[in-house]
Amino acid sequence: MLLIYCPYCQVERAEVEFRCGGEAHIARPSDPEKTTDEDWVEFLYMRANTKGVIAERWRHIHGCGRFFNALRDTVSDNFLTFYKTGEPMPTLETLPQEAGK
Amino acid sequence: MKRYSFLELAKNAFSAHQNWGRQWRSPEPKAEYDVVIVGAGGHGLATAYYLASEHGIRNVAVIEKGWLGGGNTGRNTTIVRSNYLWEESAALYNHAIGLWQNLSQELNYNVMYSARGVLMLAHTVHDVQSAQRHIHANRLAGVQNEWLTPEQAKDYCPPLNIEKNIRYPVMGAALQRVGGTARHDAVAWGYARGADALGVDIIQNCAVTGIRRNQNGSIEGVETAKGYIKAKKVGVVAAGHTSVVMDMAGVRLPLESFPLQALVSEPVKPAFPCVVMSNTIHAYISQSDKGELVIGAGTDQFVSYSQAGGIHITNHTIDAICELFPQFRRMRMLRNWGGIVDTTPDRSPILSKTPVPGLFVNCGWGTGGFKATPGSGHVFAHTIAKDEPHPINAPFTIDRFRTGRLIDEAAAAAVAH
């Protein structure tokens, strides 16, 4: 079971308090009328499914109820960092060396 | 290939079974193949076998990162059934059931297919309606499936607790009698031995590190740990790692990989006559011929390649098993493990050509690919050999996510395939 830090509650809690919301930073097409079928497929179904570090959404359903984002290594399942919705995705270079170890 | 028979068994007894010989070769890769299959699991090996046996394409290599049958083929709970809701799925899985019937004879290898029946429990009014809808759909599609009352279910599976005082009492069950189990390793080994005898090279401990395309964009070959191998066609059958392999060819797929867990108990005498599944409280259980209870748990909620799931997931399943089968409460669990399953948004597989000429993909089997092994290999071999899908796998394209013609087994059952 994962230990997850909620950046809103500023507490670390067990995974069962949270719901994973899948890949983060996927924006809904802003103009549906002009969006092609291929772009809808990208938005609705295509996922990076990276073996390595991914950005994903979590929701603290049994806490504050808010969505936030996290970087996690999908091989070790270790989190690198947590950040609030709306904040830009941290780049790996800006993280401390020991993150995710 | 040395045919296995009673006579061979008797003959080898005289030499204390020391001279059976290898079941397949360990060849070095050739410079060029007509078809390269990436992944030597059950589906990949079955594909190679049917390419050689049905389509006469024998210049085939199956390239495997680890050892053959060492991924999800060796990690699943070995359940075979075909009672899916939609016609497309029913046709695909029933095609596999047809091949399972005679597989041991065809491969001259005992895959221990045991049609002991799969009982799917209903615990709520919604479950009952949904199960009966499945039964009616199955009967129209020519798939065997029948409804049992709780008492009939108890008759069929005596350990089942049908008391009304449990949290989720059994309100009935759907029974597919042709469903059952098979020996997962033997399926991989049987196909490997059969394919090898027909000239297929199975190259183990050789990871594919790249897929080379020519200027027109079509397939030229694969880079591997043992060097570059030219190939006219490449079939990717890499289960949980499909996204990683297809990324080498620049193809994105609607897949997410999750850990799925299973566990076995200490071995006991025969106590459990069939397979029991419950989607609602999430439990799968059967007893192997060795005597272990084989129990399937659920997937974790997040993408991972760790081959280890959360302990709360297995706990949840054990709670359900203990309530349904109180006699197992004091049994000890021996081992548990995880496999990485590739799931699609509609929980149906993809058996398809890709935008890259010469590149084919067989993936997205999610949590239930084992049951389809023979059928999947059979129709995928047809797709590769003829460059067009078999009528059975024609609906299972990548393009269905663009056209909207999903085969939505996800909505039909919500979990467990």
Side-chain angles (χ1 to χ4, degrees), chain B residues 43-376:
Chain B
H43 291 241
L45 291 165
T47 306
Y49 173 79
Y50 291 115
L51 274 173
S53 68
E54 301 238 324
H55 304 284
I57 301 173
R58 298 185 173 197
N59 188 23
V60 175
V62 186
I63 299 179
E64 168 60 45
K65 181 170 69 173
W67 61 93
L68 69 85
N72 294 347
T73 301
R75 290 164 190 268
N76 62 75
T77 49
T78 78
I79 297 168
V80 174
R81 64 182 179 89
S82 68
N83 48 357
Y84 282 69
L85 180 66
W86 302 109
E87 277 177 23
E88 294 89 342
S89 325
L92 179 62
Y93 292 100
N94 224 34
H95 183 54
I97 289 272
L99 291 167
W100 277 115
Q101 310 290 326
N102 221 13
L103 194 59
S104 292
Q105 285 75 15
E106 169 160 4
L107 295 176
N108 180 232
Y109 205 98
N110 188 1
V111 300
M112 296 162 80
Y113 168 57
S114 157
R116 59 184 69 179
V118 173
L119 205 56
M120 296 175 81
L121 303 179
H123 303 273
T124 63
V125 173
H126 172 77
D127 274 0
V128 172
Q129 290 169 345
S130 158
Q132 293 189 344
R133 181 183 175 208
H134 273 71
I135 289 170
H136 296 319
N138 286 160
R139 290 173 76 171
L140 289 173
V143 174
Q144 193 267 320
N145 200 4
E146 64 195 88
W147 178 252
L148 302 187
T149 63
E151 291 71 26
Q152 288 169 324
K154 171 106 182 144
D155 258 2
Y156 194 78
C157 180
L160 183 64
N161 180 7
I162 56 166
E163 297 296 320
K164 302 287 178 221
N165 61 356
I166 62 175
R167 178 67 183 83
Y168 295 101
V170 176
M171 294 178 72
L175 170 66
Q176 188 177 35
R177 292 178 192 270
V178 292
T181 60
R183 173 82 199 277
H184 49 359
D185 297 322
V187 176
W189 297 338
Y191 274 122
R193 175 170 165 268
D196 180 83
L198 294 170
V200 173
D201 285 352
I202 301 164
I203 298 152
Q204 302 180 70
N205 296 309
C206 176
V208 167
T209 52
I211 294 176
R212 222 186 262 183
R213 297 165 63 179
N214 64 20
Q215 282 159 347
N216 315 326
S218 47
I219 285 295
E220 211 173 58
V222 292
E223 312 273 2
T224 75
K226 295 187 176 176
Y228 176 64
I229 300 171
K230 268 184 87 172
K232 294 194 183 83
K233 292 175 180 175
V234 172
V236 175
V237 199
H241 280 74
T242 304
S243 297
V244 178
V245 177
M246 293 300 281
D247 191 43
M248 297 171 190
V251 177
R252 266 164 78 78
L253 288 171
L255 293 176
E256 287 193 294
S257 295
F258 300 105
L260 176 71
Q261 295 181 82
L263 57 162
V264 292
S265 72
E266 55 193 342
V268 290
K269 286 190 174 177
F272 203 79
C274 58
V275 180
V276 173
M277 311 176 43
S278 166
N279 286 342
T280 301
I281 58 176
H282 217 123
Y284 316 80
I285 179 169
S286 64
Q287 188 174 19
S288 73
D289 292 327
K290 229 193 303 182
E292 302 152 327
L293 295 178
V294 182
I295 297 169
T299 56
D300 278 298
Q301 52 171 334
F302 48 85
V303 167
S304 173
Y305 289 84
S306 65
Q307 287 196 331
I311 195 71
H312 60 295
I313 306 279
T314 40
N315 261 346
H316 177 71
T317 292
I318 293 292
D319 285 347
I321 298 283
C322 288
E323 190 167 76
L324 288 174
F325 308 102
Q327 71 186 64
F328 295 142
R329 277 184 185 166
R330 293 171 66 188
M331 274 183 83
R332 282 166 297 189
M333 293 298 134
L334 213 56
R335 292 177 284 130
N336 84 319
W337 63 89
I340 302 304
V341 299
D342 46 325
T343 55
T344 57
D346 62 359
R347 297 295 186 269
S348 285
I350 296 169
L351 290 130
S352 175
K353 296 165 74 166
T354 67
V356 178
L359 182 66
F360 302 81
V361 69
N362 180 351
C363 66
W365 290 94
T367 58
F370 174 75
K371 63 176 80 69
T373 306
S376 153

Side-chain angles (χ1 to χ4, degrees), chain A residues 39-59:
Chain A
D39 289 339
W40 279 118
V41 175
E42 262 308 306
F43 166 69
L44 285 169
Y45 300 123
M46 294 298 176
R47 296 294 177 263
N49 203 21
T50 311
K51 186 177 184 177
V53 177
I54 60 165
E56 66 188 356
R57 300 188 304 163
W58 285 88
R59 188 178 175 209

